[in-house]
Amino acid sequence: RKEVEQDPGPFNVPEGATVAFNCTYSNSASQSFFWYRQDCRKEPKLLMSVYSSGNEDGRFTAQLNRASQYISLLIRDSKLSDSATYLCVVTGWNSGYALNFGKGTSLLVTP
Amino acid sequence: EAGVTQFPSHSVIEKGQTVTLRCDPISGHDNLYWYRRVMGKEIKFLLHFVKESKQDESGMPNNRFLAERTGGTYSTLKVQPAELEDSGVYFCASSHLRDRSTEAFFGQGTRLTVV
């Protein structure tokens, strides 16, 4: 079983739509959780950290459920510029704080 | 402030040849990581330096891969001899040492093609 699993998509949504991505992780000792964004042929960039209490940054909301080992990302009012691959990332002392990546979920926002 | 820089951006080599990838982390970042993305797969951890010391090299595929970080500044990753399955994008990332949950900044990657 992979450490971090994501639905690869692609998710094709119209502008203005709300879209949600899910991610599960296998190691219950994981401590830190992130969503990274990767544009085509570019490097991954941090989108937001994910906290147990849930956190929001503008149109983006991230949530963590430690009991279910589940992480989500909600994007409201999608923009064309949101088109990218979204990477679920997990880390902790058990991995020496190296980042464990999911394969990513591809999002395409269309006009 | 300069970001993480990697050189070269692309490399095409023949099977059996040697290639050396270079990463310059953000100044002051003691953590330096190497990752690799093979076509169709997730980004995978290769190894982690804290300053000049190898903290964790459990992700290194085999002994054809050698990473160094002399003086705790830039790092090199040498593949010798290269095999076809080594093709992929090699990312370097750096972060501050003091906070392990802090953001890791990635370089633009080196796209390696072994033919």
Side-chain angles (χ1 to χ4, degrees):
Chain A
R1 182 184 171 186
K2 290 192 181 299
E3 287 206 47
V4 183
E5 299 217 46
Q6 295 180 250
D7 180 347
F11 284 65
N12 293 334
V13 303
E15 266 187 295
T18 296
V19 62
F21 304 140
N22 302 320
C23 167
T24 57
Y25 60 95
S26 60
N27 194 324
S28 59
S30 299
Q31 296 171 281
S32 300
F33 310 90
F34 309 93
W35 284 100
Y36 274 71
R37 170 189 169 135
Q38 187 174 23
D39 292 288
C40 187
R41 292 184 172 263
K42 299 281 191 178
E43 72 273 21
K45 290 185 178 178
L46 180 66
L47 177 66
M48 60 197 300
S49 301
V50 188
Y51 304 116
S52 297
S53 54
N55 48 300
E56 189 173 306
D57 182 2
R59 297 181 294 107
F60 298 83
T61 301
Q63 293 199 308
L64 167 65
N65 183 322
R66 285 188 184 270
S68 303
Q69 295 178 202
Y70 171 94
I71 305 160
S72 66
L73 176 68
L74 184 77
I75 305 176
R76 290 181 300 278
D77 188 22
S78 299
K79 312 290 184 192
L80 297 178
S81 57
D82 294 334
S83 299
T85 297
Y86 291 82
L87 302 166
C88 178
V89 181
V90 172
T91 188
W93 65 267
N94 52 297
S95 65
Y97 293 93
L99 303 178
N100 287 311
F101 285 85
K103 286 183 73 171
T105 299
S106 176
L107 172 66
L108 178 63
V109 182
T110 56
Chain B
E1 178 184 310
V4 178
T5 56
Q6 293 186 244
F7 181 83
S9 57
H10 294 81
S11 181
V12 181
I13 62 172
E14 292 183 352
K15 177 181 170 180
Q17 289 187 318
T18 297
V19 63
T20 300
L21 314 181
R22 173 172 170 142
C23 168
D24 286 76
I26 292 172
S27 177
H29 281 191
D30 290 325
N31 285 315
L32 187 151
Y33 301 88
W34 282 98
Y35 293 89
R36 176 175 75 171
R37 185 166 202 161
V38 172
M39 178 82 74
K41 304 280 183 126
E42 66 272 23
I43 298 172
K44 284 282 210 181
F45 166 78
L46 296 179
L47 89 160
H48 171 203
F49 283 101
V50 175
K51 299 183 181 179
E52 68 276 9
S53 300
K54 288 178 186 173
Q55 186 78 8
D56 180 358
E57 53 184 329
S58 61
M60 295 287 260
N62 49 61
N63 60 9
R64 296 185 293 103
F65 289 74
L66 176 64
E68 293 180 324
R69 192 183 183 193
T70 307
T73 54
Y74 72 90
S75 175
T76 57
L77 178 64
K78 181 162 70 174
V79 186
Q80 179 183 30
E83 298 289 344
L84 299 179
E85 65 263 25
D86 300 333
S87 297
V89 182
Y90 290 77
F91 290 106
C92 174
S94 72
S95 67
H96 283 295
L97 177 63
R98 61 181 180 277
D99 182 354
R100 286 171 162 168
S101 65
T102 196
E103 178 179 1
F105 293 86
F106 282 77
Q108 80 280 15
T110 294
R111 187 171 296 274
L112 175 65
T113 304
V114 182
V115 297

